[in-house]
Amino acid sequence: MAIPDKPADPTTEAILDAALVEFERHGFHRVALDDVARRAGVSRTTIYRRFANRDELVGAVIERENVVLFADIAAELKNAAPKSNFYVEAFTLSILRFRRHRVLNQMMVDEPALVLALAGRHHGAAIERMADALRVIFPAGFADRIGEQAVTDLADTILRYAAMVLMLPSVQPLDTADDIRAFATTHFLPSLPAALRAVPV
């Protein structure tokens, strides 16, 4: 289970907001901490009190954006009437929302090596966030029925297949929601943990 988030520190939030804008405008590798500090209205020293280096700041921005993104995915899917298999719809919506995120999508397109490096460091946290979203999306009691391990396995499977769709070229088109649903039906569904295939939503 994920640890509850600490109350937001206004200065840290201002730094993360400023960094997000600078990353969107200039890319992750070209941003200077002086520019982030100026936009946030703080000194470089203030940034370094909270983040050891730029990589740590990048990681914090990505983590915060993932928290919001996964919560939005959960809320949208919870309130929508699925157009296909539940798991297919969850996967499809995840891809579409990642693509619409102005910074996360830009990072995947422009700096895939950075994405892979961050994924190695933060994959565990991303799985926790996705698992938390799944618990919101699932009908009442479903997560308990399939067990904690199955929820974690599903979160991991979604993230791995999402990375494949978002970062690797594909022979079949993966541009529209229907394209992604077709891919998910053919490739994603058969890869689901056995516990999930045995207990339909």
Side-chain angles (χ1 to χ4, degrees), residues 84-192:
S84 64
N85 177 281
F86 179 89
Y87 301 119
V88 168
E89 201 63 22
F91 181 82
T92 300
L93 182 58
S94 296
I95 297 297
L96 294 175
R97 291 304 295 266
F98 266 97
R99 283 181 174 168
R100 290 206 297 263
H101 192 287
R102 63 193 190 277
V103 173
L104 295 179
N105 187 63
Q106 176 186 328
M107 181 177 67
M108 289 183 180
V109 172
D110 295 343
E111 307 194 50
L114 176 60
V115 173
L116 291 174
L118 288 170
R121 292 199 293 273
H122 300 284
H123 190 64
I127 289 175
E128 280 195 2
R129 297 301 183 193
M130 179 60 80
D132 285 345
L134 290 171
R135 292 184 192 97
V136 173
I137 295 166
F138 285 150
F142 182 73
D144 292 333
R145 275 199 293 152
I146 63 176
E148 192 72 20
Q149 188 58 53
V151 175
T152 299
D153 288 347
L154 176 57
D156 185 44
T157 303
I158 289 174
L159 289 172
R160 290 180 185 279
Y161 273 78
M164 183 191 308
V165 170
L166 291 165
M167 297 183 65
L168 297 178
S170 174
V171 174
Q172 69 182 91
L174 293 172
D175 301 321
T176 68
D178 286 340
D179 291 340
I180 299 166
R181 287 188 186 101
F183 171 89
T185 300
T186 302
H187 301 287
F188 174 65
L189 277 183
S191 73
L192 292 180

Side-chain angles (χ1 to χ4, degrees), residues 12-13 15-16 19 23 50-51 53-67 118 122:
T12 299
E13 288 299 303
I15 293 169
L16 294 176
F23 292 153
R50 288 162 172 80
F51 307 100
N53 50 48
R54 186 173 61 177
D55 286 349
E56 193 171 298
L57 176 60
V58 169
V61 169
I62 298 306
E63 168 66 3
R64 188 185 70 164
E65 293 306 296
N66 277 335
V67 169
L118 288 170
H122 300 284

